[in-house]
Amino acid sequence: MSNINKVKYRFPEGFWWGSAASATQTEGAADVEGKGKNIWDHWYEVEPNRFFNGVGPEKTSQFYYKYKEDIQLMKEIGHNSFRMSISWSRLIPNGVGEVNPKAVEFYNNVINEFIENGVEPFVGLFHFDMPMELQKIGGWVNREVVDAYEAYAKTCFELFGDRVKKWFTHNEPIVPVEGGYLYDFHYPNEIDFGKAVQVGYHTILSSARAIKAYKEMGQDGKIGIVLNLTPSYPRSENPADLKASVLADAFFNRSFLDPSVKGEFPQELVQILKEEGFMPVIEDGDLDIIKNNTVDILGVNYYQPRRVKAKENLPNPEAPFMPDRYFDNYVMPGRKMNPHRGWEIYEKGIYDILINLKENYGNIECFISENGMGVEGEEKFRDETGIIQDDYRIEFIQDHLKWVHKAIEEGSKAKGYHLWTFMDNWSWTNAYKNRYGFVSVNLDKDGERTIKKSGQWFKKLSENNGF
Ligand code: BG6
């Protein structure tokens, strides 16, 4: 019997229901069939102690071997779309040069399997996983890596562009900047704001160059970028707090959002970089490429808000420069938390982002490309029938979807909602600590999959196109 009359929040026809994942976090098979090493394989080799319970990226959730089963499960829980990423170091083991035929075979099989099962593959080119050979020459700090990335992107379009019609140049490009060059949670673990800026700049340039190549090759799909837009809320309306939030926004959101959508950099940020002496090296012609190659579509990842206030104390002039020389993070009393991840839950943030895109970014076509809740120790919620009763996840999704729905009613061009993530996967340095999936993965039983209650609920959500 259909629930059609009970649906209170109905979404536009053809809404994309699905989830997202990345290559390094799910494929496993990290050192087989010609795959080259990426920074995660390397970092784990040299510092396994940096990963929760010492679990590394070599096996992750075995999508490489179990993709058929996984795609069946996606279909079963109502996916009509799914975002994956290609592992650069699997496809081109040294980052440049030879293409690995086994990787071509694997990605062809995966893409075909998706299409045969009515799940549209959205494909990302870079999800935090720099090939190690390219990191050895400096990674995104080195402009040669931008050339290598463009060549890699072209290879992907040539190989898979006949079937893949939604491409994403980068996933959360601010994160490798923060993790690798400011806050020590990605390799190469440097603290160097100058490099951070160069990395950010080269990433943006690489995105624009991939978009340019895509158009020049006459590809007929859409190409975009996925950004983690973390709205900056001031502690108060006091002008000093407001200024702090404008600057935090320029550093962490507009740094990538403005060039990606408008083809230009936020003036507030440029001014600070000039004043502080951190302007990146820009070559002739770069800014035109960035100006003329903006995205067709924007993926929005939303997990948490950023709350800021004016600085309480003068910064230490001897300390390495950090963006928070201009603001302090603010802990709002009474905030709602996901204690496992240490992130605030603020559902309205997702609406604020969509309305901001509508009002200030030409109402660009977009979708929620990640949103989700990582929970530690989910096994304790498994009932006698073997199903994890993750009602908290269902509630989390519903509470966010209500705001997405409202934004759409008010004119936002949000086209879909993808949860992070389909099945429990390897969350970088958190490894398998927090579980995010619709489907649980039992690491003690060769990665056995079991659909959680949220997965069953998602099926109905997708069938009814609302709830
Ligand atoms: C996003 C990433 O930052 O959030 C994912 O695109 C990541 O790769 C997800 O796994 C959840 O964050 P975390 O740090 O808990 O894995």
Side-chain angles (χ1 to χ4, degrees):
M1 203 182 75
S2 154
N3 277 336
I4 211 136
N5 297 324
K6 291 191 196 147
V7 173
K8 184 168 173 202
Y9 301 96
R10 187 178 305 286
F11 286 81
E13 210 175 307
F15 203 68
W16 305 327
W17 296 111
S19 58
S22 84
T24 301
Q25 293 178 273
T26 53
E27 285 178 2
D31 59 357
V32 304
E33 300 196 325
K35 181 180 165 295
K37 286 196 171 97
N38 65 31
I39 54 172
W40 297 94
D41 303 313
H42 173 79
W43 190 19
Y44 180 68
E45 259 172 31
V46 295
E47 271 194 302
N49 53 304
R50 293 293 305 265
F51 296 84
F52 186 77
N53 278 348
V55 175
E58 72 276 38
K59 279 200 184 147
T60 59
S61 297
Q62 302 185 49
F63 183 73
Y64 194 75
Y65 300 107
K66 295 182 187 250
Y67 69 90
K68 286 193 178 167
E69 181 191 339
D70 290 337
I71 293 171
Q72 284 312 312
L73 285 168
M74 288 181 203
K75 193 174 161 186
E76 198 176 322
I77 61 170
H79 281 42
N80 58 24
S81 48
F82 174 74
R83 179 168 60 100
M84 55 179 270
S85 76
I86 291 176
S87 160
W88 186 351
S89 64
R90 186 180 300 285
L91 192 66
I92 305 178
N94 292 324
V96 275
E98 241 157 83
V99 172
N100 171 11
K102 280 288 178 194
V104 177
E105 189 185 322
F106 169 65
Y107 290 117
N108 270 330
N109 288 343
V110 168
I111 289 164
N112 293 342
E113 188 76 14
F114 272 122
I115 293 171
E116 276 161 30
N117 284 285
V119 180
E120 183 184 351
F122 294 10
V123 176
L125 295 172
F126 189 84
H127 198 125
F128 306 170
D129 48 357
M130 177 63 71
M132 194 55 210
E133 289 306 309
L134 295 180
Q135 190 62 48
K136 285 183 189 162
I137 60 163
W140 290 115
V141 177
N142 186 340
R143 196 176 165 102
E144 280 174 41
V145 171
V146 179
D147 302 334
Y149 171 86
E150 186 185 335
Y152 156 64
K154 282 184 184 162
T155 304
C156 292
F157 304 150
E158 263 158 26
L159 288 168
F160 313 119
D162 58 332
R163 286 151 293 153
V164 173
K165 300 297 170 190
K166 294 199 183 61
W167 290 94
F168 296 91
T169 57
H170 289 274
N171 175 79
E172 301 192 349
I174 190 92
V175 171
V177 174
E178 294 176 295
Y181 298 91
L182 295 177
Y183 308 125
D184 185 30
F185 60 91
H186 280 198
Y187 193 80
N189 314 89
E190 294 186 35
I191 310 287
D192 185 329
F193 188 72
K195 283 188 182 173
V197 174
Q198 194 66 52
V199 164
Y201 173 72
H202 277 158
T203 313
I204 289 161
L205 180 63
S206 76
S207 177
R209 284 190 19 194
I211 294 171
K212 184 166 182 279
Y214 189 75
K215 309 272 162 170
E216 284 172 358
M217 288 167 75
Q219 296 272 329
D220 60 353
K222 291 188 173 170
I223 183 158
I225 194 164
V226 171
L227 300 179
N228 49 322
L229 299 177
T230 307
S232 295
Y233 297 104
R235 167 180 57 180
S236 75
E237 293 300 304
N238 183 293
D241 285 341
L242 288 175
K243 186 174 172 201
S245 81
V246 167
L247 295 181
D249 193 44
F251 272 109
F252 295 107
N253 295 315
R254 294 180 57 211
S255 47
F256 285 91
L257 180 60
D258 286 20
S260 298
V261 178
K262 296 181 173 169
E264 62 197 29
F265 292 91
Q267 274 318 307
E268 293 86 342
L269 181 61
V270 173
Q271 198 187 326
I272 291 178
L273 297 183
K274 281 188 177 156
E275 278 169 16
E276 301 279 358
F278 287 116
M279 278 297 280
V281 178
I282 299 174
E283 288 193 6
D284 284 354
D286 284 2
L287 297 180
D288 283 339
I289 292 178
I290 293 169
K291 181 84 211 160
N292 298 323
N293 295 284
T294 55
V295 297
D296 302 326
I297 180 171
L298 184 70
V300 175
N301 291 0
Y302 176 66
Y303 290 90
Q304 56 169 342
R306 177 189 297 277
R307 298 193 187 274
V308 295
K309 60 184 180 184
K311 284 209 82 66
E312 296 288 352
N313 300 302
L314 283 176
N316 170 7
E318 304 295 322
F321 181 92
M322 289 284 173
D324 65 7
R325 194 159 290 201
Y326 288 90
F327 61 87
D328 276 348
N329 289 311
Y330 171 59
V331 177
M332 185 179 74
R335 66 192 180 148
K336 176 171 161 188
M337 288 294 288
N338 169 1
H340 309 281
R341 190 61 182 82
W343 286 345
E344 182 183 342
I345 299 175
Y346 181 62
E347 300 85 351
K348 180 173 175 284
I350 210 164
Y351 165 86
D352 290 339
I353 294 171
L354 294 174
I355 296 301
N356 181 33
L357 294 178
K358 176 181 164 238
E359 288 177 355
N360 301 313
Y361 292 86
N363 204 9
I364 184 161
E365 182 178 38
C366 63
F367 72 113
I368 303 303
S369 41
E370 283 182 32
N371 175 229
M373 190 182 182
V375 171
E376 188 175 4
E378 274 200 325
E379 277 307 311
K380 65 175 171 286
F381 299 108
R382 204 181 279 279
D383 69 6
E384 59 292 347
T385 66
I387 294 175
I388 291 181
Q389 301 291 326
D390 55 345
D391 295 84
Y392 43 84
R393 182 165 290 111
I394 297 172
E395 200 180 306
F396 178 98
I397 299 171
Q398 282 178 333
D399 290 347
H400 284 84
L401 278 176
K402 285 177 192 166
W403 286 106
V404 174
H405 188 266
K406 182 171 159 60
I408 294 172
E409 278 187 328
E410 292 174 21
S412 156
K413 282 207 269 178
K415 295 289 173 67
Y417 177 90
H418 283 182
L419 186 82
W420 184 268
T421 178
F422 162 65
M423 62 177 157
D424 295 341
N425 68 26
W426 187 78
S427 273
W428 315 112
T429 55
N430 271 332
Y432 278 91
K433 173 178 174 281
N434 298 321
R435 305 301 179 99
Y436 282 89
F438 281 132
V439 171
S440 75
V441 170
N442 187 336
L443 299 174
D444 299 328
K445 285 197 190 164
D446 192 37
E448 183 187 66
R449 278 72 164 135
T450 322
I451 298 175
K452 301 179 193 173
K453 184 175 179 183
S454 60
Q456 296 170 338
W457 171 82
F458 197 72
K459 177 186 172 63
K460 288 199 217 98
L461 173 74
S462 162
E463 280 171 4
N464 294 329
N465 204 26
F467 64 100

